[in-house]
Amino acid sequence: MQRKGTTPATFDLFAEDTPQLPSQEQIGPESFVFRGFALPFIEQLLPALESVLTQAPFRNMVTPGGYTMSVALSSCGEFGWITDRSGYKYSPINPLTGQPWPAMPGVFMELAVAAASAAGFAAFVPDACLINRYIPGAKMSLHQDKDERGLEWPVVSVSLGLPAMFLFGGDERRDPTQRVPLFHGDVVVWGGVDRLRFHGVMPVRQGEHPQLGEQRINFTFRKAR
Ligand code: MD6
Ligand code: FE
């Protein structure tokens, strides 16, 4: 048996600097966490994100109940998600600019399609990508994603920057929740029988991410129409 230190460097699986092997966790019958799935896309993803945000800056929306959300939101793709006094809805127009939402960058689409396919949802073609920014302290209360018409399609969720504790509940608000820590590059896909499960995000803790600074960014891809 080879002793530690004499193992050839090319096969040193346990070295500190060995990149994490891809791994996946199943959190529901049709729900998966793919660890680090977005990392191979990151060099293209970040400039594409910058470009989208230049065209459609983040804003803190006000819910129909008059509450200003702690999470700032933008969108790209055919439809964006907006709230106003009449409720939540998808709209082809960004109300802040009066213009259509920025097109979904090719690398966004590629990532979403690959992740959906890895979870067993082949042929997913999202028409909406919501972009959420969490600064430390921001959270998202338990909710269902149910404003889409295409509920037969999954949601693909990409986490970047600071880590967060994701809460994954059941079909009823009162159901117990699993706690799923999400890190830079992790992708969650859920659909099918899990599509309407309640979920949320606990307040993001203070911190500084080497690439994204003091924030967590989350993209969620859906088929809205
Ligand atoms: C977030 N995500 O992770 C909030 N929704 O910032 C969501 O609300 C979400 O991650 C549907 C599917 C996956 C998600
Ligand atoms: Fe959601």
Side-chain angles (χ1 to χ4, degrees), residues 79 90 116 121-128 145-156 190-196 221-225:
F79 299 97
Y90 282 98
F121 298 96
F124 176 53
V125 182
D127 58 12
D145 289 12
K146 60 174 184 190
D147 296 313
E148 299 75 30
R149 268 180 221 156
L151 288 179
E152 66 273 33
W153 295 106
V155 178
V156 173
W190 73 58
V193 296
D194 295 322
R195 184 61 177 71
L196 291 178
F221 295 91
R222 303 110 189 275
K223 179 96 181 101
R225 290 289 185 266

Side-chain angles (χ1 to χ4, degrees), residues 10 58 97 99 117 125 141 143 163 174 180 191 201 208:
T10 50
F58 280 122
T97 61
Q99 298 296 311
S117 155
V125 182
S141 312
H143 66 279
R174 62 171 181 274
V180 183
V201 178
E208 172 101 23

Side-chain angles (χ1 to χ4, degrees), residues 35-201:
R35 298 290 176 195
F37 194 95
L39 295 178
F41 298 82
I42 210 82
E43 278 186 23
Q44 289 179 44
L45 215 51
L46 295 181
L49 172 64
E50 281 307 312
S51 157
V52 165
L53 293 174
T54 304
Q55 300 166 69
F58 280 122
R59 70 227 183 271
N60 289 88
M61 296 195 308
V62 178
T63 66
Y67 161 81
T68 301
M69 293 175 70
S70 62
V71 174
L73 189 76
S74 183
S75 295
C76 64
E78 253 177 279
F79 299 97
W81 195 77
I82 64 170
T83 69
D84 61 19
R85 292 226 192 127
S86 71
Y88 303 93
K89 62 186 173 206
Y90 282 98
S91 166
I93 299 294
N94 179 356
L96 211 72
T97 61
Q99 298 296 311
W101 298 99
M104 198 182 296
V107 60
F108 279 42
M109 183 68 83
E110 238 182 275
L111 169 58
V113 167
S117 155
F121 298 96
F124 176 53
V125 182
D127 58 12
C129 174
L130 282 54
I131 307 169
N132 290 312
R133 180 182 60 191
Y134 296 71
I135 55 174
K139 66 180 174 73
M140 190 160 308
S141 312
L142 278 184
H143 66 279
Q144 291 171 296
D145 289 12
K146 60 174 184 190
D147 296 313
E148 299 75 30
R149 268 180 221 156
L151 288 179
E152 66 273 33
W153 295 106
V155 178
V156 173
S157 160
V158 178
S159 293
L160 301 175
L162 290 178
M165 190 60 81
F166 184 61
L167 300 174
F168 193 48
D171 289 339
E172 307 285 343
R173 186 178 293 278
R174 62 171 181 274
D175 290 341
T177 56
Q178 312 175 47
R179 291 169 169 231
V180 183
L182 293 180
F183 301 95
H184 182 66
D186 290 350
V187 177
V188 184
V189 181
W190 73 58
V193 296
D194 295 322
R195 184 61 177 71
L196 291 178
R197 286 174 70 161
F198 277 86
H199 57 278
V201 178

